[in-house]
Amino acid sequence: MSESRPVPEVTPETERYWEAAADGRLLLRECQDCGLTYHYPRALCPDCFSDDVAWLEAAGTGEVYSYSVARSMSGWPDDDLPLVVAYVELDEGPRMVTNVDCDPDEVAVGARVAVRFVDVDADDVAIPVFVLAGD
């Protein structure tokens, strides 16, 4: 039996985010007071601490800001290794930690990427990962 990707912990603050991902949509949060667009979802703006925040659907595109390659990882499916772990700077501004599903020799800082979603062993959850633009 092969391993599957780890399932994230779904909380009341993140439930809508994970459900949207399962529907193939990437959501961000946007503060209605200071205008900050941010990721990871939380109830309060991390800049001004306002609770007047709204969901914003992201385009799902951006560029690799930084990355590392994991060639082994405990609890991770061997079929998914090596794993490119990256900060992707979304076109909307925030950076998110994610994976870039590509050959490690093909990724580079500044490379354009687009989101896709990987199913996991849980209902109403999918993991946003990225592929090199054009793939």
Side-chain angles (χ1 to χ4, degrees):
M1 182 171 161
S2 66
E3 296 176 84
S4 65
R5 286 178 175 254
V7 177
E9 180 181 343
V10 178
T11 67
E13 287 183 320
T14 63
E15 183 176 23
R16 187 162 172 203
Y17 173 81
W18 293 118
E19 288 175 351
D23 290 337
R25 297 179 301 119
L26 180 63
L27 295 184
L28 304 173
R29 296 291 269 180
E30 182 177 56
C31 180
Q32 303 302 291
D33 285 340
C34 74
L36 180 70
T37 302
Y38 62 93
H39 178 78
Y40 195 76
R42 34 193 162 322
L44 299 177
C45 172
D47 192 41
C48 73
F49 303 110
S50 170
D51 65 355
D52 189 8
V53 295
W55 291 102
L56 169 71
E57 188 167 344
T61 54
E63 67 179 43
V64 175
Y65 177 79
S66 178
Y67 72 94
S68 181
V69 177
R71 301 206 180 273
S72 66
M73 186 177 274
S74 177
W76 202 263
D78 288 340
D79 291 345
D80 289 347
L81 296 173
L83 184 67
V84 177
V85 180
Y87 273 106
V88 166
E89 186 169 303
L90 299 170
D91 290 340
E92 293 82 3
R95 293 181 188 141
M96 65 184 287
V97 176
T98 185
N99 301 128
V100 179
D101 191 7
C102 69
D103 183 311
D105 293 332
E106 295 177 4
V107 69
V109 170
R112 293 291 300 166
V113 291
V115 73
R116 74 174 184 86
F117 297 89
V118 176
D119 292 328
V120 294
D121 294 334
D123 293 334
D124 298 325
V125 174
I127 307 296
V129 300
F130 286 77
V131 294
L132 298 174
D135 285 357

